[in-house]
Amino acid sequence: MSLLLGTTITVSSNHWMMAWTGLEINTLAIIPLISKSHHPRAIEAATKYFLTQAAASTLLLFSSMTNAWFTGQWDITQLTHPTSCLLLTTAISIKLGLTPFHFWFPEVLQGSSMTTGLLLATLMKFPPTALLILTSPSLNPTLLTTMAIASAGLGGWMGLNQTQIRKVLAFSSISHLGWMTIILLYNPKLTLLTFYLYCLMTSAIFLALNTTKITNLATMMTAWTKIPPLTTTLMLALLSLAGLPPLTGFLPKWLIIQELTKQEMTPVATTIALLSLLGLFFYLRLAYCATITLPPNSSNHMKHWQTNKSVHILITTLISLSVLLLPLSPMIFTTT
């Protein structure tokens, strides 16, 4: 309830103090969820999360106060002072985990459970993204483009040698944030569309991994024998997150490259498209481990054809949307 309250307050506010209050409620609400297992790694993740988010909130408050001091405006959309804009970009980047402020995110995600990791990767990124969209006309285009390309490159590069699934998904999140940030100044609606589709695909993957109890590549290789239909659809969701053409994940990448080309930023579009190939490699590796690699010995347990029905209905819906939304792109164009 507190997470929903904090998110709603931040997204619906037009005063900096209310936006800051919403972010603080969110931070305090997620910390018990991260440290719920009382495992030392979970406590470490909660501590790291608290320290980074507190620093980001302090910077955001300092940025808004500096702007109010010089301009007399507390309105979110009236951020005009250059120092305030720079401080706000830094604060939101720390909140989201954009490069070069990304170090906390993979560690915190690795120390959390799958359900909490899902919240950290999707819902917790919505308020900072909303603030970024509201203040986008005032921000520095060169700085945002540089950070976006660095995030897309580093998210792909760092994910290559990971064996823990949550860390792979954390670097995948950093890479997708790069795609959202690069188009922010030119088409904010496209940033929001990319965020929604990313949340959809990530939710499907996290819930499927939670059902099959997959945490690393080793357990992923033996998961095929447990629930074969779910593992097959998980492969499709992973390929969709990679952005392969027949699937939903191709839609935001296609639109972003098209918009960047219209803005005469073809070199930038080419660079970020090439950097997405790094991410494609580890998504393909996950898909390969999930479906093509069979364990050497036969399993002695029964197949889980029937498990929790309500969870399976949700996963089926999310994976179907993650795979089949591309033909609906004309309708999505008209709604956005």
Side-chain angles (χ1 to χ4, degrees):
M1 290 297 290
S2 297
L3 280 175
L4 291 173
L5 176 68
T7 303
T8 308
I9 288 173
T10 303
V11 170
S12 58
S13 61
N14 59 2
H15 192 284
W16 275 115
M17 288 303 290
M18 286 304 292
W20 174 79
T21 307
L23 290 171
E24 286 300 292
I25 292 170
N26 258 6
T27 302
L28 294 173
I30 196 76
I31 284 171
L33 292 175
I34 298 172
S35 57
K36 187 172 63 174
S37 66
H38 302 295
H39 190 275
R41 188 180 280 276
I43 304 298
E44 180 190 340
T47 309
K48 284 177 179 175
Y49 185 78
F50 174 73
L51 291 173
T52 50
Q53 297 299 309
S57 293
T58 309
L59 272 176
L60 186 134
L61 196 59
F62 183 53
S63 161
S64 55
M65 287 175 70
T66 307
N67 189 67
W69 178 271
F70 282 101
T71 64
Q73 285 286 345
W74 280 100
D75 196 306
I76 291 176
T77 54
Q78 302 296 320
L79 192 77
T80 52
H81 194 262
T83 309
S84 296
C85 293
L86 189 62
L87 284 170
L88 180 87
T89 308
T90 308
I92 298 292
S93 300
I94 296 172
K95 283 270 179 198
L96 289 171
L98 266 172
T99 307
F101 309 105
H102 64 279
F103 297 101
W104 64 272
F105 188 56
E107 298 298 324
V108 170
L109 213 63
Q110 181 58 30
S112 313
S113 65
M114 279 291 178
T115 317
T116 311
L118 170 59
L119 288 173
L120 284 168
T122 54
L123 184 66
M124 296 300 291
K125 291 191 185 296
F126 187 46
T129 306
L131 288 178
L132 206 57
I133 288 170
L134 285 171
T135 55
S136 58
S138 314
L139 303 179
N140 185 341
T142 312
L143 180 63
L144 280 181
T145 305
T146 308
M147 289 172 74
I149 289 175
S151 296
L154 188 130
W157 193 260
M158 294 288 284
L160 290 177
N161 64 343
Q162 300 298 329
T163 56
Q164 298 292 328
I165 306 292
R166 276 167 292 190
K167 279 198 174 180
V168 170
L169 290 171
F171 287 115
S172 154
S173 178
I174 292 167
S175 178
H176 277 83
L177 279 170
W179 282 85
M180 288 178 226
T181 310
I182 203 161
I183 203 64
L184 179 70
L185 295 175
Y186 311 105
N187 195 338
K189 285 184 179 178
L190 199 46
T191 299
L192 214 50
L193 175 67
T194 309
F195 179 72
Y196 290 151
L197 292 178
Y198 162 74
C199 287
L200 173 73
M201 294 180 286
T202 306
S203 302
I205 290 169
F206 265 104
L207 290 172
L209 292 172
N210 193 39
T211 306
T212 50
K213 301 291 182 286
I214 296 172
T215 52
N216 54 35
L217 287 178
T219 52
M220 199 171 210
M221 288 179 187
T222 58
W224 170 257
T225 52
K226 291 181 185 175
I227 315 175
L230 183 59
T231 322
T232 309
T233 48
L234 172 63
M235 177 197 73
L236 290 173
L238 284 165
L239 295 178
S240 180
L241 196 60
L244 288 182
L247 307 170
T248 305
F250 177 62
L251 177 61
K253 285 185 167 63
W254 168 35
L255 293 178
I256 287 170
I257 289 172
Q258 188 181 23
E259 186 66 31
L260 286 173
T261 312
K262 282 181 189 172
Q263 300 291 337
E264 297 182 358
M265 296 174 68
T266 312
V268 174
T270 309
T271 306
I272 201 166
L274 288 172
L275 289 173
S276 71
L277 293 175
L278 291 169
L280 177 62
F281 176 82
F282 63 72
Y283 290 122
L284 284 172
R285 187 174 63 166
L286 288 178
Y288 176 81
C289 290
T291 52
I292 302 171
T293 307
L294 287 176
N297 54 347
S298 58
S299 56
N300 295 322
H301 54 74
M302 295 290 288
K303 287 185 171 61
H304 298 175
W305 296 105
Q306 296 283 327
T307 50
N308 191 334
K309 283 189 177 180
S310 59
V311 174
H312 269 275
I313 290 167
L314 179 61
I315 294 173
T316 307
T317 309
L318 288 172
I319 288 183
S320 301
L321 291 172
S322 300
V323 171
L324 301 171
L325 274 185
L326 190 63
L328 298 178
S329 46
M331 188 177 78
I332 294 170
F333 293 157
T334 54
T335 53
T336 55

